Amino acid sequence: MLPVQVFPRRRCPRCPRASGWPGTRALLLFLSVAQPAFAASPQGLFEPLAGQVRELEVAAADGRLLATHSAVIVDAERVVVQCDLVEGAPLLRLRATSRTLVARPLHADVRRNLCLLDVPGLSGRPVELATALPSAGARVLAVSNALGLGIGVSDGVVAAIRESGGEALIQHTAPVAPGSEGGGLFDESGRLLGVIRYRRLDGQNVNFAAPAAWIPEIAARAAAQTELREWRGQAAAFERDARWAELATHAAERTRRAADEPEAWFWLAWAKEAQRDWPAAEQAYREAARRAAGDVTVGLGLARARINLDRLDEALATARQLLAVQAEDTRVWAMIGWIEIRRKQPQAAATALDEAIRLAPWNTTALYLSATLAADHGDWPKALRLFRQLTRAEPANALWWIKLAEAQYRAQDYQRALNAAEKLLALSPEHADGWLWKGAALSALGRRKEGIDALRAALARGPLSPAWAWIFLGNTYYALRLYPEAIQAYREVAKFEAQAESVQDSLGVALKDGGQFDEALRLFEAARLKRPEDPFVWRQVGYVNGLMGRSEPMIAALEQSLRLDPKQARVWRALLEGYHAAGRPEDVRRAYAKLLELDPGQAEKAYHDYLLPYEAGR
C-alpha cells in the first residue's frame, strides 16, 4: 500500500452528478463509539491543549475562504500541517485567539506529507513531543478544527501501529472529521503523539496520525527533497490553473525519469482525464495501479476511465477488486452504484448505494445517486428524504435545492416545491433555476400570472434547461386559454427538443384549441404514421376533423382510438355526437350504452341532448 500522502486530495468534476460526481465533496459524519475515560478527563486536558492547536484557513488571493483545516504549534512562530492541504494555496491564515495571522510555507517533507509554516507574530506554548510510538490500547485525545466549527476534542485509544510505505503510522479510534487534518493527537500527559491525517474512508472510526517524532526531521528531509517538492509544486500549480496539457507533459516527463513512482503516473492519468482522453487516462491509471496495488484513489480513477470507455463490466470488476482490500470504503460502494446504474441494474445499484450511505451517512455522491435513482423509479418518499438530507449536508449547494424542488414538484407537493425554490433564491437571488421551479410551483398552485412572471425571469437569466421553462410557460398559458402564447411557447420548446413526441403533441393540442386546424391536423396525421398504436393520436385526429366539420373522418379516427383503448368516456361522448351529426341513431344508442357504463353523469346529459329527440319521435 502507498503512503497515504502520496496522492493529493482533489475534487472530481467529471464524476457522476448531472454529468459526473457532483463537484461537491462528500461530508463525512464521524461515528461515535463508546470510549474509555481518561485518568484526567478530556475536559481537563482540553483547555491547555486547545491553545496549542489552531484553525488554519486556506484562502483565495482575494481573501475568499476556500477550506479550513488544523495546525499544531511546534516552535516559536511555527506550526506543522499536512503538505497537501497547503500546496499551491494563494493565501494561508492562522486564527490566533482574536487575531488572524498570515502563514507562509517554510519546509516541506513531501514524502511524509508534513510541512512547517512560518507564522510571524504567533504566540502560544509549543507542544511537547512524545519521543516514542505509543502502544496499542493507550488512551489518546484528538484536538482539531473538525468540520470547521472551531477547536474541539474527541477521545479514543491507539488501535495499532501500522506500516505504510515503509513508515509507521498511528491508527487510533478518536473520532475526527473533515477539518481535523493537521490537528494534534495527544497522550494522557498532554504530549503530542502525532499529527492527525484525514479520516480514512474504508472503515468506521479508522483514523491515522503521523508520528510526532517526524516533526524535528522535517527541515533536514525537506532539503533532500528539493527536486520532488519543486516537481509536485509545479504539478499543483498546473492543476490549479487548469493547464491540463502542461500538467500531462510535466507528469509524462517524470514517468520517464522515475518510472516506478506511482504519483507521477497518477498525475498523468488525472491530466488525461481532465482532457477527456479516456484511453490515455485508463493506461496511466493502470500503470499507477501496478505500482500501488489496492490503492483506492488509483483504483477508482481506473474504474472511472473504464466507465467512460463504455467498458462497464471491466469497471465493475475493478471496483469489486477494491472491495477485496477495502470492504468498508464508502467511495467504492458509491462507484459500484454508479456503474450498476449505467448497466441498467437498478436493484444492484440501490443495494450498493444504500451500503455507501450506511458507511458514511453524509456521502453526498451516494446520496445524490440514490435519490436520483429513486426519483427515476417513482419512489418519491425515498427521493425526497435523500434530497432533504443533501440540503442539510450542504445547505449552500444550489444543485441540492434545485433537485429537491424538482422532486417535490414531481411528487405533486407544490407548496414544498415552492418553499425549496424560494430557499434557493434566498441564497442566490439571480439563480435561474430557482426562478424556474418557483414559476412551475406557482402555476401548479393556481397562481398562474405569478408563475408566468417567474418563468419569464428564469428565461431572462438562462436556466440549465430552457426547454423546461418554455414547457411550463406553455402549459400555464394553455391553462389560461391564452392559445397564441401557448403555441409560441411550445414552438420555443421545439427548438431544443424538436423530435420529442410530448412537445409535438402539446403544440398540436394548442393549435387545435387555438383554431389553427390545418397545422394541428398535419401534426397529428404525421404522429399517426409514427405511432399507429397510440389512442391519443387517433383521438386528436378525430377531434380536429370534427372541428373542421368532417364527420366521417372524425368517426373513423375516434372508433380506432376506442379500439385501442375502449375506456375513454370523453371519446365515447364525442363519437356519440359524431353519430348524431351523421344521422346514425342506432350507433348513437350503442355509444350511449358504452358511455353509461363508464360515466353515468355524462351519459345522462348526452341522453337529454341526443337520445331524447329520437325517443320523442317514436
Side-chain angles (χ1 to χ4, degrees), residues 204-227:
Q204 298 183 5
N205 226 38
V206 180
N207 311 308
F208 289 86
W214 290 359
I215 294 172
E217 301 172 4
I218 292 176
R221 287 175 56 86
Q225 296 174 26
T226 302
E227 181 189 2

Side-chain angles (χ1 to χ4, degrees), residues 219-249:
R221 287 175 56 86
Q225 296 174 26
T226 302
E227 181 189 2
L228 175 60
R229 185 170 64 253
E230 291 177 351
W231 179 86
R232 183 183 282 182
Q234 184 61 68
F238 285 145
E239 183 201 28
R240 183 182 64 248
D241 298 336
R243 294 157 63 185
W244 304 115
E246 290 165 274
L247 177 57
T249 301

Side-chain angles (χ1 to χ4, degrees), residues 63-391:
R64 179 171 39 90
L65 182 64
L66 301 177
T68 58
H69 308 293
S70 308
V72 178
I73 302 175
V74 294
D75 205 345
E77 299 187 333
R78 289 186 183 180
V79 296
V80 65
V81 298
Q82 258 181 237
C83 290
D84 61 345
L85 304 177
V86 301
E87 206 165 44
L91 177 63
L92 298 171
R93 300 185 298 231
L94 200 76
R95 295 184 66 85
T97 60
S98 60
R99 296 185 300 157
T100 299
L101 304 174
V102 174
R104 298 179 180 84
L106 185 64
H107 300 297
D109 181 351
V110 293
R111 295 194 184 279
R112 286 177 170 172
N113 200 25
L114 285 180
C115 282
L116 290 177
L117 303 183
D118 183 42
V119 191
L122 176 64
S123 60
R125 182 170 60 88
V127 293
E128 179 185 353
L129 303 182
T131 57
L133 290 170
S135 301
R139 298 163 179 170
V140 293
L141 194 72
V143 180
S144 68
N145 180 29
L147 299 176
L149 299 175
I151 303 303
V153 62
S154 62
D155 63 300
V157 297
V158 173
I161 303 301
R162 302 291 188 193
E163 183 177 318
S164 178
E167 300 272 22
L169 292 174
I170 303 168
Q171 181 184 337
H172 64 93
T173 66
V176 297
S180 294
E181 53 271 64
L185 188 71
F186 295 89
D187 66 13
E188 289 184 283
S189 301
R191 292 175 300 183
L192 182 71
L193 292 171
V195 178
I196 296 170
R197 294 196 182 281
Y198 193 85
R199 173 178 180 257
R200 284 177 64 100
L201 300 177
D202 55 349
Q204 298 183 5
N205 226 38
V206 180
N207 311 308
F208 289 86
W214 290 359
I215 294 172
E217 301 172 4
I218 292 176
R221 287 175 56 86
Q225 296 174 26
T226 302
E227 181 189 2
L228 175 60
R229 185 170 64 253
E230 291 177 351
W231 179 86
R232 183 183 282 182
Q234 184 61 68
F238 285 145
E239 183 201 28
R240 183 182 64 248
D241 298 336
R243 294 157 63 185
W244 304 115
E246 290 165 274
L247 177 57
T249 301
H250 184 66
E253 190 276 333
R254 188 160 183 87
T255 64
R256 289 189 288 271
R257 291 191 295 109
D260 291 332
E261 190 172 273
E263 183 180 3
W265 289 104
F266 177 83
W267 277 108
L268 178 59
W270 182 251
K272 292 299 183 181
E273 180 173 346
Q275 294 174 300
R276 306 192 72 77
D277 184 349
W278 296 111
E282 195 266 350
Q283 181 180 354
Y285 276 127
R286 273 194 290 110
E287 294 293 341
R290 283 178 50 204
R291 295 156 176 81
D295 186 273
V296 175
T297 304
V298 173
L300 292 174
L302 181 56
R304 207 161 49 243
R306 287 173 171 168
I307 290 170
N308 283 279
L309 289 169
D310 204 28
R311 290 157 50 184
L312 298 178
D313 290 343
E314 289 180 67
L316 184 60
T318 300
R320 292 203 173 279
Q321 286 170 3
L322 293 175
L323 281 185
V325 180
Q326 310 287 3
E328 292 188 320
D329 192 313
T330 182
R331 297 169 299 169
V332 179
W333 284 107
M335 176 65 77
I336 290 172
W338 182 30
I339 296 168
E340 294 290 19
I341 289 172
R342 294 284 301 270
R343 294 178 73 239
K344 303 187 186 309
Q345 300 294 323
Q347 188 54 56
T351 299
L353 294 169
D354 286 347
E355 180 64 10
I357 294 167
R358 185 190 71 80
L359 291 167
W362 297 101
N363 181 333
T364 53
T365 295
L367 287 170
Y368 175 72
L369 289 172
S370 185
T372 302
L373 183 65
D376 288 346
H377 289 81
D379 186 351
W380 297 112
K382 181 176 182 179
L384 289 168
R385 173 173 56 80
L386 295 173
F387 281 129
R388 281 193 291 267
Q389 192 166 338
L390 281 165
T391 61

Side-chain angles (χ1 to χ4, degrees), residues 395 398 400-402 404-406 408 414-443 445 447 450-451 454:
W400 304 152
W401 290 107
I402 293 170
L404 178 60
E406 179 182 354
Q408 286 169 328
Y414 302 125
Q415 184 58 53
R416 285 193 171 91
L418 178 60
N419 295 343
E422 288 182 331
K423 285 183 179 178
L424 171 55
L425 290 172
L427 290 169
S428 179
E430 295 300 309
H431 202 294
D433 287 276
W435 286 105
L436 187 153
W437 290 108
K438 179 176 181 176
L442 285 168
S443 296
L445 288 167
R447 296 161 60 181
E450 293 175 78

Side-chain angles (χ1 to χ4, degrees), residues 525 528-529 531-543 552-568 571-572 575 579 590:
E525 288 286 5
R528 179 180 60 79
L529 296 175
R531 296 144 57 195
E533 301 303 313
D534 188 344
F536 166 84
V537 177
W538 287 101
R539 178 169 74 241
Q540 296 303 323
V541 170
Y543 287 162
E552 291 306 320
M554 169 194 176
I555 291 170
L558 294 180
E559 287 176 338
Q560 177 61 18
S561 181
L562 288 166
R563 277 192 286 271
L564 294 168
D565 180 7
K567 294 184 178 181
Q568 301 178 82
V571 179
W572 280 112
L575 184 58
Y579 287 147
R590 180 174 58 82

